[in-house]
Amino acid sequence: MDFDELPIPLAFPRAKCQDSGAMGLLQSEFSSTLGLQCPLIVAPMAGGPSTVELVVASSEAGALGSIGAAYLAPAAIKETIAQTQARTRKPFAVNLFIPTPFTPPTEAQIQQALAKTKKFRDEFHLTPPDPRRFVEEDFDRQFEAVLSMKPAVLSFVFGPLPRPHLLEAKKLGITLIGTATSPEEALELQESGLDAITLQGIEAGGHRGIFDPLAPDPEIPLMELLRELKAKIKIPLIAAGGIMNRADIDAALRAGAAAVQMGTAFLATTEAGTSGPYRRKLLERPDRETRTTRVFSGRLARGIRNRFMEEMDPRALLPFPVQNQFTRDLRGASAQAGSADFLSLWCGTGKGPLRESSAAELIRDLFAEGPCAPIPL
Ligand SMILES: Cc1cc2nc3c(=O)[nH]c(=O)nc-3n(C[C@H](O)[C@H](O)[C@H](O)COP(=O)(O)O)c2cc1C
C-alpha cells in the first residue's frame, strides 16, 4: 500500500482508538459494539482457505472470523455454522455472493470454451464438463439457511442485498456488511440501509466486489477510497486490500476506517484450508507477483500469476458463475497433481513473507504492540 501521502487528521470519528488494557489491543466503536477485542475482520475466503478452525481461532482471539459460504449448499451452510457455534460463543460473520444475472452462453461460446481449454484438460486426461448442465446455488435458500442460524454478522459482495432480504435480516438483529469498490457503489450500499461497508481497494486478493461483472475495474487504491468516502459515508467503513501488518492497520484507521479486513495475511496460518501447492506459491517469494484476471471464474479477481492466467485465452470465457464451474475440474486435477499451474491463487498486492503461525498468534502480534500511537483518543 502507498501510505506516503497520508495526511494525519486531527479527529477520527469512526476509529476512536483506545488501548483496551492488559493486552494493549486497539478498539473502535464498531469493534466494541460487535463485541470484538480488536478492529479486525479475518476475511471470508470461499473455496478452501476459510475453515471452521480459522473462523473459530480468529473469533476466539478477539477478531471477527468469517465463514466463506458462497459456494456451499444450504445444508452445508447450516452445518458449517452449527460446527462454528459449537466451538465458539464469540461473534462471527457468514459471507455470501449476491447473485449475478447472466445470459446463458450460446452453443458457439460453449464450443469455443471447450476448444480453448482442450489442451489443458488433455494434460490431465480430463473429460470436459458440460456447461449446459451446471446449476447455481439458490441464493434465497442460502440466505434462509444463514438466517435460520442467526449469526452475528452477514457480509456479502457483488451488489446490494435486496430490500426484502435486508428487512428480514434486520428483524433478527443480524449486522449487515456490504462491499464496495468505488464511491458510487458505496453510496448505493449506504442508501440501501446497511450497517457497515467494506471498501475493497485494488490491492485486495480474491474476487473484485464490483457490482457489474462486465464493467471495467475502477482500480481505486484503498487509501483513495477512504479519503474520498470518509465524509460522505455515515456508517462504519471497513478497509480491505493489501493490509499486512500493524503499520497498515494504523494507517487505515487513521484514514477513517472503523476496522480492517485482512485475507492474504491469514492464508498461510495453520488453520487456513489453503492447499499444499497454493501454500508453496504463497511462501515461495515475499514479493508475490499478482494481477487481476477473469479466466478462472468469469469475474475479475486478483491472484498470483500462473500458467492458466498466462495461457488461457481471455476471449473464450463463459459468464460468471458458469466459467467458475467450468474450470473447477482443472483446479481439482492441478491440486491433486501437486501443481499450482491451474489453481486460482488468490492473493493481494501486500508484500513480505506470510506468517505460518496459528491465526491467534498472528492476531496477538498484530495488536499487542501497544496502542495506535498517533491517533488521539
Ligand atoms: C483466498 C481469498 C478468497 C476470498 N474469498 C472471498 C469471499 O468468499 N467473499 C468475500 O467477500 N471476499 C473474499 N475475498 C476478498 C476479501 O474479503 C478481502 O477483500 C481481501 O482479502 C482483502 O485483501 P488482502 O487479501 O490483500 O488482505 C477473498 C480473498 C482471498 C485472498
Side-chain angles (χ1 to χ4, degrees):
M1 287 174 94
D2 177 13
F3 294 117
D4 291 349
E5 295 166 15
L6 187 73
I8 304 293
L10 294 171
F12 309 92
R14 294 193 193 82
K16 282 182 204 131
C17 283
Q18 57 193 47
D19 184 338
S20 69
M23 291 179 74
L25 298 175
L26 292 182
Q27 271 295 14
S28 73
E29 233 163 67
F30 172 79
S31 54
S32 55
T33 306
L34 266 180
L36 312 181
Q37 287 171 279
C38 52
L40 167 66
I41 299 176
V42 176
M45 295 188 279
S50 276
T51 58
V52 169
E53 288 69 29
L54 181 60
V55 180
V56 170
S58 305
S59 288
E60 282 292 307
L64 186 76
S66 306
I67 297 175
Y71 303 132
L72 299 181
I77 291 178
K78 278 195 193 180
E79 177 57 28
T80 309
I81 299 176
Q83 284 175 13
T84 310
Q85 286 170 338
R87 292 176 51 185
T88 183
R89 300 176 74 91
K90 298 279 174 67
F92 60 86
V94 182
N95 178 269
L96 292 177
F97 291 173
I98 301 296
T100 301
F102 68 93
T103 313
T106 61
E107 198 50 40
Q109 280 176 307
I110 291 173
Q111 290 310 328
Q112 193 191 27
L114 287 167
K116 294 284 183 185
T117 47
K118 183 174 182 317
K119 63 174 179 180
F120 307 128
R121 291 207 163 84
D122 285 350
E123 289 184 30
F124 296 108
H125 310 289
L126 290 171
T127 312
D130 183 352
R132 300 167 203 86
R133 305 177 83 151
F134 292 149
V135 276
E136 234 190 309
E137 286 305 338
D138 180 331
F139 176 76
D140 285 344
R141 291 189 53 231
Q142 287 183 313
F143 180 77
E144 288 308 327
V146 174
L147 257 54
S148 71
M149 304 301 285
K150 292 200 195 102
V153 177
L154 170 63
S155 66
F156 49 90
V157 274
F158 300 155
L161 189 64
R163 186 86 186 148
H165 296 69
L166 183 136
L167 295 176
E168 228 184 305
K170 286 245 175 187
K171 243 189 275 168
L172 295 173
I174 296 174
T175 297
L176 295 173
I177 307 179
T179 307
T181 62
S182 67
E184 296 73 25
E185 289 178 350
L187 289 164
E188 188 179 335
L189 288 180
Q190 172 168 255
E191 274 297 294
S192 76
L194 298 182
D195 298 298
I197 298 173
T198 300
L199 291 182
Q200 192 193 44
I202 182 64
E203 302 90 344
H207 276 107
R208 306 280 297 126
I210 304 166
F211 292 4
D212 177 351
L214 299 175
D217 193 328
E219 297 186 357
I220 308 175
L222 173 60
M223 279 302 165
E224 222 171 278
L225 282 174
L226 279 169
R227 254 196 299 272
E228 162 115 29
L229 289 165
K230 69 178 174 194
K232 292 187 187 150
I233 301 289
K234 307 298 175 204
I235 53 178
L237 294 173
I238 297 151
I243 297 180
M244 303 298 281
N245 53 40
R246 178 57 180 273
D248 296 342
I249 294 171
D250 283 355
L253 295 178
R254 236 182 280 140
V260 296
Q261 178 155 305
M262 297 168 68
T264 300
F266 283 85
L267 277 173
T269 57
T270 45
E271 296 91 343
T274 314
S275 70
Y278 187 179
R279 261 176 206 270
R280 280 194 290 281
K281 271 283 172 203
L282 287 162
L283 298 168
E284 198 174 77
R285 304 168 55 118
D287 58 342
R288 297 163 290 275
E289 193 193 349
T290 68
R291 74 172 174 88
T292 59
T293 179
R294 293 181 197 272
V295 297
F296 292 100
S297 72
R299 264 188 175 275
L300 278 174
R302 179 179 294 283
I304 298 175
R305 287 179 103 107
N306 67 352
R307 209 181 128 201
F308 193 59
M309 259 198 214
E310 300 304 325
E311 293 184 14
M312 177 62 199
D313 186 341
R315 293 162 308 179
L317 306 182
L318 301 172
F320 179 90
V322 185
Q323 179 73 7
N324 195 41
Q325 302 189 28
F326 183 62
T327 55
R328 193 166 278 158
D329 64 329
L330 276 169
R331 288 195 291 278
S334 189
Q336 216 165 18
S339 160
D341 283 353
F342 299 90
L343 299 181
S344 46
L345 304 166
W346 300 153
C347 180
T349 60
K351 303 294 179 225
L354 294 186
R355 281 281 296 269
E356 295 177 80
S357 65
S358 70
E361 275 176 81
L362 173 53
I363 293 168
R364 196 190 56 213
D365 289 352
L366 284 172
F367 289 95
E369 294 163 18
C372 44
I375 304 181
L377 298 181

